Amino acid sequence: MRLQGKTAIVTGGASGFGAGIAKKFAAEGAKVMVADLNLEAAQAVADEIGGVAQRCDVSDADSVDAMKVAALSAFGKLDILINNAGTTHMPAAMEDVSPQDFDKVFGVNMKSVYLTALAFVPHFKENGGGAVLNVASTGGVSPRPRLTWYNASKGWMITATKGMAVELAPFGIRVNAINPVAGETPLLKSFMGEDTPEIRAKFLSTIPIGRFSTPEDMGNAACFLCSEEASMITGVAMEVDGGRCI
């Protein structure tokens, strides 16, 4: 029960890595808000873990503010913020990615971190501390071809994590990131372009441990970084990637 008495928001918590993090946090004693564009799916996860569901478009300031109001109404205070919601463009030559797809990647992967900081950093400062975890990607460290703007968005998130960590450390607020390799999530097909045994085998050949990451892997890493066991760790972008970035 490493998170006993803690409260947390997990954006993009209705599926994939977000659902894995939400379930792990609840199992470790936290009260969890599952925030997602898909309210029905968020509610299903929340019901499973005894949490709270909230519809949220993380790229929209009003929606993020509504999430803040709902979380503080439900919990009274927030201890942990997980910026997990993410998206990608389909694999393509960089010049063939449309402005609409670029704007979507920018809004969900980058602007969301800014908007949640506006919403919750003042609250964390008032409470004397908190933990923020940004779910970045190995693509931000070792970019894959044809995912250039997605890679760039995750590199931005890693840099934002380090900048936030330095600025917020005096206030007792820790900020870390995890860099997953591709996993069995709704985004997997988008990363690969198409899902065939041949493409999966090619993808897996780049991961020394020889398997995709799982929601449970991300839940375990996130739990450690947001627990008191990691009280001296801030500004880290932990690769949870089976050796992909070596």
Side-chain angles (χ1 to χ4, degrees):
M1 304 299 282
R2 288 179 288 173
L3 302 179
Q4 185 70 44
K6 300 293 186 180
T7 59
I9 292 175
V10 182
T11 68
S15 63
F17 294 153
I21 293 170
K23 291 174 183 179
K24 175 65 175 180
F25 278 31
E28 292 285 351
K31 296 178 180 177
V32 181
M33 170 172 279
V34 181
D36 203 281
L37 264 179
N38 186 335
L39 180 58
E40 183 178 355
Q43 189 65 60
V45 174
D47 289 345
E48 180 181 344
I49 65 174
V52 177
Q54 175 72 19
R55 186 187 183 281
C56 184
D57 175 354
V58 294
S59 67
D60 180 79
D62 290 340
S63 190
V64 171
D65 284 342
M67 176 177 70
K68 173 188 176 182
V69 170
L72 297 185
S73 175
F75 301 146
K77 68 181 181 72
L78 187 71
D79 299 301
I80 301 168
L81 169 66
I82 310 294
N83 286 311
N84 167 76
T87 192
T88 186
H89 54 82
M90 293 295 286
M94 65 178 74
E95 69 271 24
D96 292 337
V97 175
S98 70
Q100 293 80 11
D101 284 345
F102 177 87
D103 286 345
K104 180 182 177 184
V105 169
F106 177 91
V108 176
N109 294 0
M110 298 164 62
K111 186 179 180 182
S112 62
V113 178
Y114 164 74
L115 292 177
T116 57
L118 292 186
F120 291 105
V121 164
H123 176 74
F124 287 145
K125 286 182 175 179
E126 290 171 6
N127 286 335
V132 179
L133 183 76
N134 297 320
V135 180
S137 170
T138 55
V141 179
S142 179
R144 290 184 182 274
R146 296 171 61 81
L147 287 170
T148 291
W149 309 122
Y150 168 80
N151 297 330
S153 74
K154 293 302 188 177
W156 181 96
M157 182 181 273
I158 292 167
T159 300
T161 296
K162 294 178 181 293
M164 292 171 70
V166 170
E167 182 170 339
L168 297 177
F171 300 95
I173 304 167
R174 295 186 303 107
V175 186
N176 290 297
I178 53 175
N179 294 338
V181 73
E184 295 283 0
T185 75
L187 285 182
L188 179 60
K189 185 176 180 180
S190 296
F191 290 131
M192 296 192 299
E194 57 180 320
D195 193 352
T196 68
E198 294 77 18
I199 291 176
R200 280 192 171 227
K202 183 178 179 180
F203 217 87
L204 283 171
S205 71
T206 68
I207 305 173
I209 278 183
R211 67 172 176 84
F212 290 116
S213 57
T214 68
E216 290 76 21
D217 293 326
M218 298 312 125
N220 290 335
C223 181
F224 166 68
L225 287 173
C226 293
S227 74
E228 292 304 315
E229 294 174 355
S231 62
M232 192 57 177
I233 300 175
T234 195
V236 164
M238 178 188 287
E239 291 155 13
V240 191
D241 67 348
R244 156 85 172 88
C245 288
I246 298 171

